[in-house]
Amino acid sequence: LVGQSKAPQSYLYNFTLQKSASISSSAYGNFSGAKAQEIVVARGSFLELLSPDENGKVQTLSSMHVFGIIRSLSPFRLTGGTKDYVVVGSDSGRIVILEYNGEENRFEKVHEETFGRSGTRRIVPGEYIATDPKGRAVLIGAIEKQKFVYILNRDTAANLTISSPLEAHSPNTILFDIVGVDVGFENPLFAALEFDYEDADGDPTGEALQATEKFLTFYELDLGLNHCSRQTAEPVPMSANKLLSVPGSPDGPGGVIILCEDQVIHRTIEHEDVSAVIPRRRDVPREEGVLITSAVLVQQRDWFFFLVQNESGDLFKVWLDYDGDDVSAINVKYFDTIPVAATMSVLKTGFLFSASESGDHCLYQFQGIGEDDEDVTLKLTDDDRVFFRPRLLKNLVAIDTIQNAFPITDMLVENFFGEETPQIVTACGTGARSSLRVLRHGLAVSEKAVSQLPGVPSAVWTLKTHITEEFDKYIIVSFKDATMVLSVGETVEEVHDSGFLLTATTLGSGLFGEDSLVQVYPGGLRHIRADKRIQEWKPPAGKQILRAAINTRQIALSLRGGEVIYFELDASGQISEIDKLIVGQEVTALALAPVPEGRQRTRFLAVADADNKTRIYSLNPTDCLQSLAMQVLPATVHTLVLLEMASYGGTSLYVNMGLINGVLIRSTIDRVTGSLTDTRARFLGSRPVKLFPVSVGGLQAVLALSSRSWLLYNHQRRFTMNPLSYVPLEYASSFQSEQALDSLVSISGDSLRIFTVEQLDQTYNHTVTQLRYTPRKMIIHPRTRFLLVAESDHHTYPAAETAAVRELLAKEDEEAGRERVKMEIDGEEGEAVEVSQDDSLGRPRAPKGRWNAAVRILDVVNNNTLQLLELGNNEHITCMKLVDFANHGGETFLVVGTCKDLVFEPVRKCSEGFLRVYRFDAEATSISLVHVTSLPEAIPGAICPFYGRLLVGVGPLLRIYDLGKKKLLRKAENKDILNHITDIQVVSDKIVVSNIQYSYQWVKYNLAQNTLYVIADDPLPRWLTTTTVLDNLTIAGGDKFGNIFSLRLPPHLEKLLHEDPSGGAVQWNTNKKIAGAPHKLDMVNCIFVGETISKLLTTRITPGGHNCILYATVSGTIGALVPFQTREDIDFFSTLEMHLREEYKPLCGRDHRAYRSYFAPVRNVVDGDLCELFAMTSHEIQAKIASDLDRNPSEVQKKLEDIRNAL
């Protein structure tokens, strides 16, 4: 891969395939205007604006790459304003206030003020943001010491202004949370949870730490004196972790709610505290407390309450009993159970958006607010603890979900289903929310209806009966010798009084004029008026109509023999023949563009002939059917579509040509001369390409059908082409009805299908298989292609013990006269459907130190688990590999590394490690244990096959094992590895050992002496997470800080090893703990992607595409590093990146080069995510950059599309 470039150094092009799915923070508000219900979310380095539509589907309105780490978000609205702003805390060392521009569909910076150094540092503010409820001030705080207050106001032009920062620093203080207190229009007040460690820091005995208290501190901003002062500081429980601002007068009593372990406390400056106990599940270990992780305010005009969520996902309703400012009681009641959320937002329209920590995000609708009389809390002990029984959703109902692959723990690429492109398989999730996701490149499709037809149709159209109608009235289905007309209403039924000729095949149909219809069939043209009067046109004797192109005022027909006849709608509403054209070749395709608004006709007609030529003809009355342009193509055109789409801040007219060899060609038509420019081609499939103009998301698009269906559309000012994850289609048309808005009707075989395309920004759709525990490793069996998945979890009982705990709790309920918790929901047809208790309510939580693990054999194609083998014995799986042992005839065994009683603090250790060897049965559908090899107090971190034997990393030891009858036999060992081994790769005759802290060490095995010795290492320490081999001298790796890099072995070392196989000239007799290995690795490439790298693969994800480095991050991002093929490409994209760094300033104020060089300078990598923002710049900037590149903007866009399509 690295050697593909002829340049002295290898250059890579980095771009994102799938954005981060994890949402770290969110802010609800009216950002686009009054009464808009929207949520701003931070997804890694992307800032997105989400809004549910009228059907409850969450739509992404805008998505912007900020090239920085978003740490916090907070909305605010100036007094008297109608729309909200959002304050962003990031790693830029600046406070940024953003406003959403609906016309440009993007966020724009209103203010950007610098206050400190860049980077995510303890003392640089940005981790916490609090705004005054009246929008008068904002406080931005650091984890330690620093806090700044900014005053917000308006100038005389009603524009937002921001003051200079006012300091509110507290030295030697750690900040846990901060909120703005609702005090009306008095001086703004902020409440902070703080811990002063000054005394504890100077006491080595630790006694001072035990006596140190945590405080709730109030900071007051005096608007008159322009000064922020510390008002009061009162102690709170040490377990306090979160603050909630209570609405003030007249909506509530004001003050703050302090969320602590097992209790909530209401506190104001003037009144005494009021507290309440948080109910807990009966299966939570008694020594563990209940901790609240997220909370949200639910408020209407005359009431409010809080929803708080604990670590198990249980929601509690918290409300106050108060009279004026005097609070008499605080109440906590179980509300519902949903997956654990990182952040929650409540919309005024009755929706709750939950950004899940693990698994898909979900939008819920309120069905109630927990005011029923059912008592779900129990008092079982003599202490203050209150218990409750979790149940299925009662007050909430799930409306929509957003795919979330966080966290990705492993990834592989394999074509399990024999499709054109391989699938990306990811191991995702944690605990009961764990899953295996098969990612296919394509837009997700929601199927609305499927109906079998009496034969195999050839085409389908949808028609309105009047130009002002919103919904379609007819679906026209054409067969070989007949036509079927279906009327669309509450039901779809066949009709015979539409005026259509039903005894002939239909070649084309459409709405003509305001309220009439046309039908084209081989024997003529039929014009059906609104009053059912019919006008017929017949072709000359002996000729038949072969093809037709129709818009609302024009018709073009091609006859056998290469003749084209052109019609228009005249002033009397009749069809009038205008002109005819003799092409000279058989016409293979025709196309008319839609009539522009306010015009009588479209100007251009596109005609393709059997001579592989496409011509553009004028339809103006002065030069009707005069040829304006011609394009010679490599194959015959099968279909044509003329369509106007957005381009460079305006619109352009495109001719889309589908060829019989499966290639799509797209050219731009000059509106003045009709000439064809900016031609682009892409291979779509093995079948001829059929093209159809459709409407998706309210915008014009093109549906291209080949062996796979593709959608060509504009999304967020960028032209995009993505396949559909759906069955192969033969014909399609747009469809609108009350039951299926913005849909498509299509033909596949003998079925009629209605479907919608949703989430146009999600280019990969997920097929999900639920797992029992958190997946750790995945392996493909080479013969059967079954998937082996290693799963393990902490705080988890084995499955049998989990069932026993639940049965014990159920028996206690029966003895107390309480009904068992029902695990059934109403199905689509009203029947009771049983649901998994693990998925809905989670599992009973085991005490700390309890582990459980399992090995699963999964048939991915049939989504069937063939075997699930639980290990028990409190073991955790650390590694797993397939090994062909030479001393057993090359038979394939599964070797699993486990450790018992694993703990991570104060140091990582276990009571015993094991190497488990399993044998497959004949069909590889199950495994059986051969033997177990004990590793006393050692953790097996990595396993790798090595020439018929087994390499194992046991803590810091590298060992070679062979398979014995009763256990694995140790053959060789190296003790020079500096720390715990996490991965082992074999590169030809060399071994690459990944160290958890000290990067890589390359090891050579001397067969004659049976020794392992280190030949090279990396001079820089790296906290490695994953490795992939590029070639015999080069590897690529990722670390937990978000860096991806490639390292190369010095070329002279390879020559030295060949000349001296014994390695004597390579080894040093010096202290290797100090000097390291005798040779050092050279860094070739490096880039920072912002998220912990969980997997790297060297693979090819499209047929005929280039090899690439595919990477996945813990947060769910999937990206690729593609090698440049020519020096010209390196120069072009490097120059483009340089210009965009100057012209496109990141939204949050972070310098792009500094961001990509977070821990080490970016080296020989071009940031494709930045280059692709070329389309987001203004037309003037595009022209300026393109001019410096000696190209025009369309050529720059073409280069960007080509390099992405080459993947």
PDB file of all heavy atoms in Angstrom, residues 281 283 312 430-434 771-774 791 793-797 802 806 837-839 841-846:
ATOM      1  N   ARG A 281     -33.563  -0.196  42.636  1.00  0.00           N
ATOM      2  CA  ARG A 281     -33.988  -1.561  42.313  1.00  0.00           C
ATOM      3  C   ARG A 281     -33.587  -2.507  43.439  1.00  0.00           C
ATOM      4  O   ARG A 281     -32.583  -2.292  44.128  1.00  0.00           O
ATOM      5  CB  ARG A 281     -33.336  -2.025  41.013  1.00  0.00           C
ATOM      6  CG  ARG A 281     -33.750  -1.243  39.784  1.00  0.00           C
ATOM      7  CD  ARG A 281     -33.241  -1.939  38.533  1.00  0.00           C
ATOM      8  NE  ARG A 281     -33.593  -1.212  37.326  1.00  0.00           N
ATOM      9  CZ  ARG A 281     -33.567  -1.733  36.107  1.00  0.00           C
ATOM     10  NH1 ARG A 281     -33.213  -2.994  35.943  1.00  0.00           N
ATOM     11  NH2 ARG A 281     -33.894  -1.018  35.054  1.00  0.00           N
ATOM     12  N   ASP A 283     -32.424  -5.439  42.951  1.00  0.00           N
ATOM     13  CA  ASP A 283     -31.281  -6.279  42.595  1.00  0.00           C
ATOM     14  C   ASP A 283     -29.960  -5.510  42.611  1.00  0.00           C
ATOM     15  O   ASP A 283     -28.924  -6.064  42.269  1.00  0.00           O
ATOM     16  CB  ASP A 283     -31.493  -6.907  41.208  1.00  0.00           C
ATOM     17  CG  ASP A 283     -31.823  -5.868  40.149  1.00  0.00           C
ATOM     18  OD1 ASP A 283     -31.231  -4.795  40.177  1.00  0.00           O
ATOM     19  OD2 ASP A 283     -32.686  -6.160  39.291  1.00  0.00           O
ATOM     20  N   SER A 312     -28.813   2.728  35.630  1.00  0.00           N
ATOM     21  CA  SER A 312     -29.504   1.579  35.039  1.00  0.00           C
ATOM     22  C   SER A 312     -30.501   1.991  33.966  1.00  0.00           C
ATOM     23  O   SER A 312     -31.126   1.135  33.343  1.00  0.00           O
ATOM     24  CB  SER A 312     -30.227   0.778  36.122  1.00  0.00           C
ATOM     25  OG  SER A 312     -29.306   0.297  37.087  1.00  0.00           O
ATOM     26  N   THR A 430     -22.621  -1.967  24.609  1.00  0.00           N
ATOM     27  CA  THR A 430     -22.157  -2.485  25.895  1.00  0.00           C
ATOM     28  C   THR A 430     -23.326  -3.163  26.597  1.00  0.00           C
ATOM     29  O   THR A 430     -24.482  -2.770  26.442  1.00  0.00           O
ATOM     30  CB  THR A 430     -21.623  -1.358  26.798  1.00  0.00           C
ATOM     31  OG1 THR A 430     -22.661  -0.380  26.990  1.00  0.00           O
ATOM     32  CG2 THR A 430     -20.412  -0.685  26.189  1.00  0.00           C
ATOM     33  N   GLY A 431     -23.005  -4.172  27.389  1.00  0.00           N
ATOM     34  CA  GLY A 431     -24.005  -4.836  28.214  1.00  0.00           C
ATOM     35  C   GLY A 431     -25.172  -5.376  27.419  1.00  0.00           C
ATOM     36  O   GLY A 431     -25.018  -5.947  26.339  1.00  0.00           O
ATOM     37  N   ALA A 432     -26.373  -5.155  27.948  1.00  0.00           N
ATOM     38  CA  ALA A 432     -27.579  -5.655  27.295  1.00  0.00           C
ATOM     39  C   ALA A 432     -27.870  -4.926  25.994  1.00  0.00           C
ATOM     40  O   ALA A 432     -28.699  -5.384  25.208  1.00  0.00           O
ATOM     41  CB  ALA A 432     -28.771  -5.526  28.243  1.00  0.00           C
ATOM     42  N   ARG A 433     -27.210  -3.802  25.731  1.00  0.00           N
ATOM     43  CA  ARG A 433     -27.402  -3.043  24.491  1.00  0.00           C
ATOM     44  C   ARG A 433     -26.343  -3.404  23.452  1.00  0.00           C
ATOM     45  O   ARG A 433     -26.167  -2.683  22.467  1.00  0.00           O
ATOM     46  CB  ARG A 433     -27.333  -1.548  24.794  1.00  0.00           C
ATOM     47  CG  ARG A 433     -28.359  -1.063  25.780  1.00  0.00           C
ATOM     48  CD  ARG A 433     -29.641  -0.664  25.106  1.00  0.00           C
ATOM     49  NE  ARG A 433     -29.479   0.559  24.331  1.00  0.00           N
ATOM     50  CZ  ARG A 433     -30.404   1.027  23.505  1.00  0.00           C
ATOM     51  NH1 ARG A 433     -31.528   0.360  23.329  1.00  0.00           N
ATOM     52  NH2 ARG A 433     -30.217   2.152  22.843  1.00  0.00           N
ATOM     53  N   SER A 434     -25.655  -4.505  23.639  1.00  0.00           N
ATOM     54  CA  SER A 434     -24.609  -4.917  22.700  1.00  0.00           C
ATOM     55  C   SER A 434     -25.224  -5.449  21.420  1.00  0.00           C
ATOM     56  O   SER A 434     -26.318  -6.023  21.422  1.00  0.00           O
ATOM     57  CB  SER A 434     -23.723  -5.989  23.328  1.00  0.00           C
ATOM     58  OG  SER A 434     -23.128  -5.505  24.511  1.00  0.00           O
ATOM     59  N   LEU A 771     -26.587  -9.061  20.874  1.00  0.00           N
ATOM     60  CA  LEU A 771     -25.659  -9.949  21.566  1.00  0.00           C
ATOM     61  C   LEU A 771     -25.974  -9.927  23.058  1.00  0.00           C
ATOM     62  O   LEU A 771     -26.660  -9.022  23.557  1.00  0.00           O
ATOM     63  CB  LEU A 771     -24.216  -9.505  21.326  1.00  0.00           C
ATOM     64  CG  LEU A 771     -23.772  -9.421  19.860  1.00  0.00           C
ATOM     65  CD1 LEU A 771     -22.338  -8.904  19.772  1.00  0.00           C
ATOM     66  CD2 LEU A 771     -23.893 -10.770  19.164  1.00  0.00           C
ATOM     67  N   ARG A 772     -25.457 -10.918  23.777  1.00  0.00           N
ATOM     68  CA  ARG A 772     -25.766 -11.017  25.207  1.00  0.00           C
ATOM     69  C   ARG A 772     -24.848 -10.133  26.046  1.00  0.00           C
ATOM     70  O   ARG A 772     -25.290  -9.485  26.994  1.00  0.00           O
ATOM     71  CB  ARG A 772     -25.643 -12.476  25.668  1.00  0.00           C
ATOM     72  CG  ARG A 772     -25.964 -12.680  27.141  1.00  0.00           C
ATOM     73  CD  ARG A 772     -25.981 -14.146  27.516  1.00  0.00           C
ATOM     74  NE  ARG A 772     -27.083 -14.854  26.857  1.00  0.00           N
ATOM     75  CZ  ARG A 772     -27.328 -16.149  27.020  1.00  0.00           C
ATOM     76  NH1 ARG A 772     -26.545 -16.874  27.806  1.00  0.00           N
ATOM     77  NH2 ARG A 772     -28.328 -16.728  26.402  1.00  0.00           N
ATOM     78  N   TYR A 773     -23.553 -10.109  25.701  1.00  0.00           N
ATOM     79  CA  TYR A 773     -22.589  -9.321  26.469  1.00  0.00           C
ATOM     80  C   TYR A 773     -21.831  -8.393  25.518  1.00  0.00           C
ATOM     81  O   TYR A 773     -21.983  -8.455  24.299  1.00  0.00           O
ATOM     82  CB  TYR A 773     -21.606 -10.246  27.206  1.00  0.00           C
ATOM     83  CG  TYR A 773     -22.268 -11.316  28.040  1.00  0.00           C
ATOM     84  CD1 TYR A 773     -22.144 -12.660  27.709  1.00  0.00           C
ATOM     85  CD2 TYR A 773     -23.018 -10.979  29.155  1.00  0.00           C
ATOM     86  CE1 TYR A 773     -22.757 -13.641  28.469  1.00  0.00           C
ATOM     87  CE2 TYR A 773     -23.632 -11.959  29.923  1.00  0.00           C
ATOM     88  CZ  TYR A 773     -23.498 -13.291  29.568  1.00  0.00           C
ATOM     89  OH  TYR A 773     -24.122 -14.249  30.317  1.00  0.00           O
ATOM     90  N   THR A 774     -20.996  -7.552  26.092  1.00  0.00           N
ATOM     91  CA  THR A 774     -20.210  -6.620  25.292  1.00  0.00           C
ATOM     92  C   THR A 774     -19.246  -7.381  24.389  1.00  0.00           C
ATOM     93  O   THR A 774     -18.434  -8.178  24.887  1.00  0.00           O
ATOM     94  CB  THR A 774     -19.415  -5.673  26.205  1.00  0.00           C
ATOM     95  OG1 THR A 774     -20.323  -4.971  27.054  1.00  0.00           O
ATOM     96  CG2 THR A 774     -18.611  -4.688  25.381  1.00  0.00           C
ATOM     97  N   GLU A 791     -17.424 -12.380  23.810  1.00  0.00           N
ATOM     98  CA  GLU A 791     -18.220 -11.418  24.566  1.00  0.00           C
ATOM     99  C   GLU A 791     -17.891 -11.549  26.053  1.00  0.00           C
ATOM    100  O   GLU A 791     -17.700 -12.672  26.547  1.00  0.00           O
ATOM    101  CB  GLU A 791     -19.718 -11.675  24.367  1.00  0.00           C
ATOM    102  CG  GLU A 791     -20.167 -11.750  22.914  1.00  0.00           C
ATOM    103  CD  GLU A 791     -21.616 -12.197  22.793  1.00  0.00           C
ATOM    104  OE1 GLU A 791     -22.392 -11.934  23.721  1.00  0.00           O
ATOM    105  OE2 GLU A 791     -21.962 -12.833  21.780  1.00  0.00           O
ATOM    106  N   ASP A 793     -18.503  -9.236  30.088  1.00  0.00           N
ATOM    107  CA  ASP A 793     -19.017  -8.056  30.785  1.00  0.00           C
ATOM    108  C   ASP A 793     -18.647  -8.102  32.256  1.00  0.00           C
ATOM    109  O   ASP A 793     -18.545  -9.185  32.861  1.00  0.00           O
ATOM    110  CB  ASP A 793     -20.541  -7.969  30.662  1.00  0.00           C
ATOM    111  CG  ASP A 793     -20.979  -7.037  29.560  1.00  0.00           C
ATOM    112  OD1 ASP A 793     -20.238  -6.085  29.263  1.00  0.00           O
ATOM    113  OD2 ASP A 793     -22.055  -7.263  28.987  1.00  0.00           O
ATOM    114  N   HIS A 794     -18.496  -6.898  32.820  1.00  0.00           N
ATOM    115  CA  HIS A 794     -18.287  -6.741  34.253  1.00  0.00           C
ATOM    116  C   HIS A 794     -19.634  -6.484  34.927  1.00  0.00           C
ATOM    117  O   HIS A 794     -20.622  -6.153  34.267  1.00  0.00           O
ATOM    118  CB  HIS A 794     -17.326  -5.570  34.500  1.00  0.00           C
ATOM    119  CG  HIS A 794     -16.866  -5.460  35.899  1.00  0.00           C
ATOM    120  ND1 HIS A 794     -16.641  -4.259  36.524  1.00  0.00           N
ATOM    121  CD2 HIS A 794     -16.581  -6.411  36.825  1.00  0.00           C
ATOM    122  CE1 HIS A 794     -16.232  -4.462  37.753  1.00  0.00           C
ATOM    123  NE2 HIS A 794     -16.187  -5.762  37.972  1.00  0.00           N
ATOM    124  N   HIS A 795     -19.712  -6.670  36.237  1.00  0.00           N
ATOM    125  CA  HIS A 795     -20.957  -6.498  36.996  1.00  0.00           C
ATOM    126  C   HIS A 795     -22.071  -7.382  36.402  1.00  0.00           C
ATOM    127  O   HIS A 795     -23.217  -6.964  36.322  1.00  0.00           O
ATOM    128  CB  HIS A 795     -21.420  -5.036  36.982  1.00  0.00           C
ATOM    129  CG  HIS A 795     -20.598  -4.136  37.852  1.00  0.00           C
ATOM    130  ND1 HIS A 795     -20.626  -4.184  39.231  1.00  0.00           N
ATOM    131  CD2 HIS A 795     -19.717  -3.161  37.532  1.00  0.00           C
ATOM    132  CE1 HIS A 795     -19.799  -3.278  39.722  1.00  0.00           C
ATOM    133  NE2 HIS A 795     -19.229  -2.660  38.722  1.00  0.00           N
ATOM    134  N   THR A 796     -21.727  -8.600  36.031  1.00  0.00           N
ATOM    135  CA  THR A 796     -22.687  -9.445  35.312  1.00  0.00           C
ATOM    136  C   THR A 796     -22.694 -10.853  35.885  1.00  0.00           C
ATOM    137  O   THR A 796     -21.635 -11.453  36.110  1.00  0.00           O
ATOM    138  CB  THR A 796     -22.333  -9.508  33.810  1.00  0.00           C
ATOM    139  OG1 THR A 796     -22.262  -8.178  33.302  1.00  0.00           O
ATOM    140  CG2 THR A 796     -23.366 -10.296  33.039  1.00  0.00           C
ATOM    141  N   TYR A 797     -23.906 -11.367  36.100  1.00  0.00           N
ATOM    142  CA  TYR A 797     -24.078 -12.769  36.479  1.00  0.00           C
ATOM    143  C   TYR A 797     -24.107 -13.637  35.218  1.00  0.00           C
ATOM    144  O   TYR A 797     -24.491 -13.161  34.139  1.00  0.00           O
ATOM    145  CB  TYR A 797     -25.396 -12.977  37.226  1.00  0.00           C
ATOM    146  CG  TYR A 797     -25.506 -12.283  38.551  1.00  0.00           C
ATOM    147  CD1 TYR A 797     -26.400 -11.229  38.734  1.00  0.00           C
ATOM    148  CD2 TYR A 797     -24.758 -12.702  39.652  1.00  0.00           C
ATOM    149  CE1 TYR A 797     -26.538 -10.596  39.960  1.00  0.00           C
ATOM    150  CE2 TYR A 797     -24.882 -12.074  40.881  1.00  0.00           C
ATOM    151  CZ  TYR A 797     -25.769 -11.021  41.028  1.00  0.00           C
ATOM    152  OH  TYR A 797     -25.897 -10.406  42.245  1.00  0.00           O
ATOM    153  N   THR A 802     -28.613 -15.138  36.431  1.00  0.00           N
ATOM    154  CA  THR A 802     -29.488 -13.991  36.177  1.00  0.00           C
ATOM    155  C   THR A 802     -30.957 -14.422  36.235  1.00  0.00           C
ATOM    156  O   THR A 802     -31.798 -13.748  36.843  1.00  0.00           O
ATOM    157  CB  THR A 802     -29.177 -13.377  34.801  1.00  0.00           C
ATOM    158  OG1 THR A 802     -27.840 -12.891  34.807  1.00  0.00           O
ATOM    159  CG2 THR A 802     -30.123 -12.240  34.483  1.00  0.00           C
ATOM    160  N   ARG A 806     -33.944 -13.197  38.970  1.00  0.00           N
ATOM    161  CA  ARG A 806     -35.252 -12.676  38.557  1.00  0.00           C
ATOM    162  C   ARG A 806     -36.394 -13.526  39.102  1.00  0.00           C
ATOM    163  O   ARG A 806     -37.429 -13.002  39.525  1.00  0.00           O
ATOM    164  CB  ARG A 806     -35.320 -12.633  37.030  1.00  0.00           C
ATOM    165  CG  ARG A 806     -34.512 -11.492  36.422  1.00  0.00           C
ATOM    166  CD  ARG A 806     -34.570 -11.525  34.931  1.00  0.00           C
ATOM    167  NE  ARG A 806     -33.887 -10.373  34.365  1.00  0.00           N
ATOM    168  CZ  ARG A 806     -33.344 -10.340  33.168  1.00  0.00           C
ATOM    169  NH1 ARG A 806     -33.405 -11.416  32.399  1.00  0.00           N
ATOM    170  NH2 ARG A 806     -32.753  -9.246  32.716  1.00  0.00           N
ATOM    171  N   GLN A 837     -36.471  -9.017  28.510  1.00  0.00           N
ATOM    172  CA  GLN A 837     -36.301  -8.231  29.723  1.00  0.00           C
ATOM    173  C   GLN A 837     -34.927  -7.578  29.742  1.00  0.00           C
ATOM    174  O   GLN A 837     -34.768  -6.472  30.259  1.00  0.00           O
ATOM    175  CB  GLN A 837     -36.489  -9.113  30.957  1.00  0.00           C
ATOM    176  CG  GLN A 837     -36.646  -8.323  32.245  1.00  0.00           C
ATOM    177  CD  GLN A 837     -37.243  -9.160  33.350  1.00  0.00           C
ATOM    178  OE1 GLN A 837     -37.743 -10.247  33.105  1.00  0.00           O
ATOM    179  NE2 GLN A 837     -37.210  -8.648  34.574  1.00  0.00           N
ATOM    180  N   ASP A 838     -33.910  -8.238  29.155  1.00  0.00           N
ATOM    181  CA  ASP A 838     -32.577  -7.648  29.090  1.00  0.00           C
ATOM    182  C   ASP A 838     -32.593  -6.361  28.286  1.00  0.00           C
ATOM    183  O   ASP A 838     -32.014  -5.352  28.681  1.00  0.00           O
ATOM    184  CB  ASP A 838     -31.595  -8.635  28.451  1.00  0.00           C
ATOM    185  CG  ASP A 838     -31.226  -9.762  29.398  1.00  0.00           C
ATOM    186  OD1 ASP A 838     -31.670  -9.715  30.556  1.00  0.00           O
ATOM    187  OD2 ASP A 838     -30.504 -10.680  28.991  1.00  0.00           O
ATOM    188  N   ASP A 839     -33.257  -6.373  27.114  1.00  0.00           N
ATOM    189  CA  ASP A 839     -33.279  -5.200  26.248  1.00  0.00           C
ATOM    190  C   ASP A 839     -34.074  -4.060  26.871  1.00  0.00           C
ATOM    191  O   ASP A 839     -33.709  -2.889  26.744  1.00  0.00           O
ATOM    192  CB  ASP A 839     -33.888  -5.558  24.878  1.00  0.00           C
ATOM    193  CG  ASP A 839     -33.039  -6.578  24.133  1.00  0.00           C
ATOM    194  OD1 ASP A 839     -31.857  -6.729  24.493  1.00  0.00           O
ATOM    195  OD2 ASP A 839     -33.561  -7.229  23.209  1.00  0.00           O
ATOM    196  N   LEU A 841     -35.338  -3.671  30.286  1.00  0.00           N
ATOM    197  CA  LEU A 841     -35.111  -3.258  31.669  1.00  0.00           C
ATOM    198  C   LEU A 841     -33.689  -3.481  32.152  1.00  0.00           C
ATOM    199  O   LEU A 841     -33.356  -3.093  33.267  1.00  0.00           O
ATOM    200  CB  LEU A 841     -36.072  -4.009  32.601  1.00  0.00           C
ATOM    201  CG  LEU A 841     -37.564  -3.905  32.246  1.00  0.00           C
ATOM    202  CD1 LEU A 841     -38.383  -4.720  33.228  1.00  0.00           C
ATOM    203  CD2 LEU A 841     -38.026  -2.458  32.234  1.00  0.00           C
ATOM    204  N   GLY A 842     -32.861  -4.092  31.325  1.00  0.00           N
ATOM    205  CA  GLY A 842     -31.505  -4.377  31.753  1.00  0.00           C
ATOM    206  C   GLY A 842     -31.428  -5.626  32.609  1.00  0.00           C
ATOM    207  O   GLY A 842     -32.432  -6.261  32.939  1.00  0.00           O
ATOM    208  N   ARG A 843     -30.219  -5.982  33.002  1.00  0.00           N
ATOM    209  CA  ARG A 843     -30.001  -7.182  33.807  1.00  0.00           C
ATOM    210  C   ARG A 843     -29.798  -6.812  35.269  1.00  0.00           C
ATOM    211  O   ARG A 843     -29.404  -5.692  35.582  1.00  0.00           O
ATOM    212  CB  ARG A 843     -28.748  -7.921  33.314  1.00  0.00           C
ATOM    213  CG  ARG A 843     -28.791  -8.344  31.860  1.00  0.00           C
ATOM    214  CD  ARG A 843     -27.633  -9.312  31.596  1.00  0.00           C
ATOM    215  NE  ARG A 843     -27.508  -9.556  30.173  1.00  0.00           N
ATOM    216  CZ  ARG A 843     -26.649  -8.933  29.384  1.00  0.00           C
ATOM    217  NH1 ARG A 843     -25.837  -8.030  29.887  1.00  0.00           N
ATOM    218  NH2 ARG A 843     -26.583  -9.212  28.098  1.00  0.00           N
ATOM    219  N   PRO A 844     -30.029  -7.785  36.161  1.00  0.00           N
ATOM    220  CA  PRO A 844     -29.648  -7.553  37.561  1.00  0.00           C
ATOM    221  C   PRO A 844     -28.154  -7.237  37.662  1.00  0.00           C
ATOM    222  O   PRO A 844     -27.338  -7.873  36.989  1.00  0.00           O
ATOM    223  CB  PRO A 844     -29.994  -8.885  38.245  1.00  0.00           C
ATOM    224  CG  PRO A 844     -31.022  -9.510  37.359  1.00  0.00           C
ATOM    225  CD  PRO A 844     -30.687  -9.085  35.966  1.00  0.00           C
ATOM    226  N   ARG A 845     -27.821  -6.252  38.445  1.00  0.00           N
ATOM    227  CA  ARG A 845     -26.427  -5.794  38.532  1.00  0.00           C
ATOM    228  C   ARG A 845     -25.688  -6.615  39.576  1.00  0.00           C
ATOM    229  O   ARG A 845     -26.057  -6.622  40.765  1.00  0.00           O
ATOM    230  CB  ARG A 845     -26.384  -4.314  38.877  1.00  0.00           C
ATOM    231  CG  ARG A 845     -24.987  -3.702  38.900  1.00  0.00           C
ATOM    232  CD  ARG A 845     -25.073  -2.205  39.159  1.00  0.00           C
ATOM    233  NE  ARG A 845     -23.780  -1.585  39.305  1.00  0.00           N
ATOM    234  CZ  ARG A 845     -23.046  -1.130  38.306  1.00  0.00           C
ATOM    235  NH1 ARG A 845     -23.508  -1.239  37.069  1.00  0.00           N
ATOM    236  NH2 ARG A 845     -21.873  -0.559  38.515  1.00  0.00           N
ATOM    237  N   ALA A 846     -24.626  -7.282  39.136  1.00  0.00           N
ATOM    238  CA  ALA A 846     -23.816  -8.090  40.042  1.00  0.00           C
ATOM    239  C   ALA A 846     -22.836  -7.203  40.800  1.00  0.00           C
ATOM    240  O   ALA A 846     -22.543  -6.079  40.374  1.00  0.00           O
ATOM    241  CB  ALA A 846     -23.071  -9.163  39.253  1.00  0.00           C
TER     242      ALA A 846
END
